[in-house]
Amino acid sequence: MPNIIFIAPPAAGKGTQSDMLKEKYNMVHISVGDLLRHEVDSGSPVGEHVKELMNKGLLVDNSIVYELLRNRLHKSDCDQGYILDGFPRNLEQAHVFEEISEELNRQVDYVIFLDIDKEIAMQRITGRVSCPNCGTVYNEYYDTFNTPGLCNKCHANLEKRSDDNVETFNQRFDTYITKTQPVIDYYKEKGVLHIVDSSINKEYTFTQIERIIGAKKW
Ligand code: ADP
């Protein structure tokens, strides 16, 4: 299976599309945001520092991100390909990722840019809730719940991310414009960038992605 990178503004649907690919094609999904949230939950001193940055909508230090990512990518389940969601987010990370990929002897096959307007992303942020138990992400405005406030799959209480508020969203969006947009141009020049409209709904976005990566032929 291919190696896929998702790049997008906050709340464009990287996590949702990754989960859909994981479920349908049994792909490995690595979310750098989740790796960082895991570090926060561990209560370590590094986790405390990470929490502060995430709650401000700023990028976490590259060195912390590299260590978490390297450890994850070296696990054997990544040998058959993976989906990387939320990395690289700045040009330095893109360059270091070249080195990591060489170490692993794997190349980037597809970089998928999920395109969405700031206004639509903002609406999605304010409705986003997720299950702390199984990780399923929902939107309070668009999804139907068997029991309000509970996960449809495992019935745990749904939670809101602490950085999903209007103020932090605005900062995350600014960080995306200044730091992450140059990464999109970097991959465009390398000829591996694919642009997908992520503003309609998750099913439409998914169909476009399946077409790009030729998933139906696997
Ligand atoms: P979103 O893309 O919606 O902002 P993520 O879960 O991908 O959500 O990221 C949440 C936060 O985690 C970011 O705002 C940032 O603080 C941190 N983060 C995620 N990926 C990276 C990365 N590659 N480098 C630095 N910080 C990151």
Side-chain angles (χ1 to χ4, degrees), residues 35-198:
L35 292 179
L36 291 168
R37 279 184 282 278
H38 204 258
E39 191 63 38
V40 171
D41 291 343
S42 77
S44 69
V46 172
E48 281 301 309
H49 169 69
V50 167
K51 184 176 170 183
E52 209 173 296
L53 292 166
M54 286 178 91
N55 283 340
K56 285 186 184 151
L58 300 173
L59 291 185
V60 173
D61 320 46
N62 285 341
S63 55
I64 297 174
V65 172
Y66 298 152
E67 193 184 336
L68 290 173
L69 185 63
R70 263 209 173 85
N71 290 341
R72 181 65 190 90
L73 286 172
H74 273 92
K75 294 202 173 140
S76 58
D77 62 346
C78 296
D79 291 349
Q80 300 308 314
Y82 49 78
I83 307 159
L84 197 47
D85 143 13
F87 187 92
R89 285 207 199 218
N90 60 33
L91 275 179
E92 192 203 298
Q93 292 185 359
H95 292 133
V96 169
F97 191 57
E98 298 280 317
E99 291 167 25
I100 299 179
S101 300
E102 259 175 50
E103 265 168 50
L104 294 163
N105 205 13
R106 295 206 61 119
Q107 61 178 32
V108 173
D109 299 303
Y110 302 97
V111 176
I112 298 179
F113 166 47
L114 298 180
D115 196 10
I116 191 170
D117 285 347
K118 184 175 178 184
E119 288 67 31
I120 301 178
M122 171 86 92
Q123 283 166 15
R124 290 187 184 172
I125 281 277
T126 52
R128 177 154 76 177
V129 286
S130 69
C131 174
N133 188 39
C134 71
T136 305
V137 178
Y138 301 92
N139 190 292
E140 290 173 328
Y141 303 127
Y142 320 132
D143 290 314
T144 329
F145 297 95
N146 299 335
T147 312
L150 299 187
C151 176
N152 285 344
K153 292 185 185 163
C154 67
H155 313 294
N157 279 310
L158 296 172
E159 290 178 351
K160 214 170 203 2
R161 259 169 55 174
S162 60
D163 59 347
D164 275 353
N165 57 67
V166 173
E167 195 189 331
T168 309
F169 170 79
N170 278 322
Q171 178 55 56
R172 278 155 68 196
F173 205 90
D174 286 352
T175 305
Y176 159 75
I177 299 283
T178 53
K179 309 276 184 196
T180 310
Q181 269 194 345
V183 178
I184 297 169
D185 295 334
Y186 173 83
Y187 284 117
K188 193 188 259 172
E189 273 168 35
K190 281 181 161 284
V192 288
L193 186 81
H194 299 265
I195 301 173
V196 167
D197 177 2
S198 193

Side-chain angles (χ1 to χ4, degrees), residues 6-36:
F6 277 122
I7 299 186
K14 300 186 303 289
T16 303
Q17 296 303 320
S18 301
D19 281 344
M20 289 167 86
L21 283 172
K22 179 178 162 187
E23 201 148 299
K24 185 159 175 190
Y25 298 105
N26 206 15
M27 298 179 82
V28 171
H29 170 207
I30 303 170
S31 154
V32 171
D34 285 350
L35 292 179
L36 291 168

